[in-house]
């Protein structure tokens, strides 16, 4: 009886561990470029790669996903960035550590540093 109980518990534990290890990479969320225009990249925050590629901008807005237009001052970097790329953007700040958010929909912020991430 005890042997069956221990074996059952080990089996349940193994299944739980394996299911956690095989989680789909699509489920991982991040910040993705969903549009580029006029030295700006439109970034959807905390979204899955699948949703960033398959959903229209209007649909993303309706889902209450945060969208930010980052102004990219470096033309070469802007040209290298690709729609669908996962990024981490740090706003450009002044000497007090403050940055300006232009009130538009979506808001616009000048990008300070753009880190390109692997999926």
């Amino acid at each position: 009886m005890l042997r069956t109980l221990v074996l059952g518990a080990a089996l349940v534990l193994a299944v739980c561990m394996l299911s956690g290890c095989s989680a789909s990479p699509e489920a991982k969320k991040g910040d993705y470029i969903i549009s580029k225009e006029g030295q700006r990249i439109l970034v959807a925050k905390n979204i899955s790669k699948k949703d960033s590629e398959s959903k229209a901008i209007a649909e993303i807005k309706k889902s209450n996903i945060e969208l930010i237009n980052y102004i990219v001052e470096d033309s070469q970097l802007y040209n290298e960035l690709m729609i669908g790329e996962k990024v981490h953007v740090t706003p450009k700040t002044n000497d007090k550590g403050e940055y300006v958010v232009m009130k538009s929909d979506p808001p616009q912020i000048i990008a300070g540093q753009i880190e390109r991430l692997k999926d």
Side-chain angles (χ1 to χ4, degrees), residues 14-76:
V15 169
C16 289
M17 289 177 65
L18 289 175
S19 66
C21 294
S22 65
S24 169
E26 295 296 325
K28 293 182 181 176
K29 293 187 176 187
D31 301 346
Y32 289 90
I33 299 172
I34 59 170
S35 175
K36 285 176 61 175
E37 184 180 335
Q39 287 296 120
R40 293 179 310 212
I41 56 171
L42 181 59
V43 176
K45 310 278 277 173
N46 198 29
I47 190 171
S48 71
K49 181 168 180 65
K50 181 180 177 185
D51 285 348
S52 74
E53 294 172 340
S54 64
K55 290 187 176 183
I57 294 172
E59 190 177 355
I60 292 172
K61 278 185 176 182
K62 286 180 185 176
S63 301
N64 291 324
I65 292 171
E66 184 180 4
L67 297 174
I68 299 177
N69 258 318
Y70 288 102
I71 300 165
V72 182
E73 296 179 316
D74 181 338
S75 295
Q76 181 178 348

Side-chain angles (χ1 to χ4, degrees), residues 80-95:
E80 292 173 359
L81 292 169
M82 304 297 288
I83 294 172
E85 192 167 2
K86 186 175 184 179
V87 294
H88 175 74
V89 183
T90 304
K92 185 176 184 177
T93 58
N94 61 19
D95 56 348

